[in-house]
Amino acid sequence: MPGRSDQTVPLAVKIVVSGGLGVGKTTFIAAVSEIGPLDTEAPITQVSVGVDSLDGVESKTTTTVALDFGRIRLDPAIALYLFGTPGQARFSFLWDDLVEGALGTVVLADTRRIEECHPALDYFEAQDAPFVLAVNRFDGAERFEPDEVREALGLDADVPVLECDARERGSVRDVLGVLMDRVIGFRAAPGRRAATARG
């Protein structure tokens, strides 16, 4: 047919990137996005004093107040739309809207502030949706084996725990690849197929 494009239209998949304040969500999305990433970074002001903990990230001067957004095609058939959540607990009311329709989540962790990822882990475990934990490598931070991180956070054995560098495109792509494998496995599980069929 004249004018018809032979280009493959990719399947659009929504992915959420979450974690605590200063863990690298904005950097993670910007490193891999094939479009100019959207962010809602705003200066950290006196309003956050005594509310948002900056212990370990004292040099941080801006923070996400709504969302980050980017897009990457993993292959010609799949385009991932990445939505980053704000890290502060006081903005968690936005999470329900950002998570709606998402097939999976990357939860980022910082070993200098490992406790900061607990709210995100609790939230996504309650959602009964697939997620992976990616430990962002910060310069000067102590390194731990994935099993040590899993044990410290009380994660189930089937949750992938891996290291990444949120500044490096290849590292971020690797994390997203592991997440997509988990999403496919999660949706193909017999119990999940039965629940989907009943729904």
Side-chain angles (χ1 to χ4, degrees):
M1 177 182 293
R4 182 174 179 175
S5 173
D6 292 329
Q7 189 174 20
T8 301
V9 177
L11 172 68
V13 176
K14 182 178 181 180
I15 297 296
V16 171
V17 180
S18 192
L21 174 67
V23 78
K25 300 178 295 292
T26 302
T27 302
F28 183 98
I29 292 174
V32 79
S33 181
E34 295 167 346
I35 61 173
L38 165 70
D39 65 54
T40 55
E41 290 282 294
I44 294 175
T45 66
Q46 289 298 313
V47 173
S48 67
V49 175
V51 178
D52 302 326
S53 172
L54 294 177
D55 293 342
V57 289
E58 291 85 0
S59 62
K60 186 171 176 60
T61 59
T62 63
T63 186
T64 298
V65 295
L67 68 113
D68 297 310
F69 174 77
R71 186 190 70 205
I72 177 176
R73 285 179 69 158
L74 283 187
D75 63 42
I78 300 175
L80 301 188
Y81 289 79
L82 308 174
F83 290 78
T85 68
Q88 303 95 314
R90 61 193 171 100
F91 291 133
S92 61
F93 65 91
L94 296 169
W95 289 11
D96 287 341
D97 289 335
L98 291 175
V99 167
E100 185 175 359
L103 293 188
T105 301
V106 174
V107 177
L108 285 171
D110 176 355
T111 57
R112 302 170 303 175
R113 296 158 47 88
I114 198 69
E115 70 284 351
E116 292 294 315
C117 69
H118 280 298
L121 289 174
D122 291 344
Y123 180 89
F124 291 106
E125 285 177 336
Q127 295 293 311
D128 190 30
F131 68 92
V132 302
L133 182 79
V135 179
N136 193 8
R137 292 192 293 262
F138 285 91
D139 294 339
E142 188 173 357
R143 300 282 290 275
F144 295 91
E145 293 297 323
D147 284 344
E148 293 179 284
V149 176
R150 180 192 309 283
E151 183 176 354
L153 295 174
L155 293 174
D156 290 341
D158 66 329
V159 176
V161 177
L162 55 157
E163 284 192 319
C164 78
D165 187 331
R167 300 166 296 186
E168 295 184 1
R169 179 180 177 84
S171 185
V172 172
R173 281 184 64 99
D174 289 346
V175 171
L176 294 173
V178 171
L179 175 62
M180 289 307 298
D181 287 343
R182 180 154 171 77
V183 166
I184 292 167
F186 188 86
R187 295 177 71 82
R192 177 62 49 179
R193 286 200 302 269
T196 301
R198 288 195 299 271

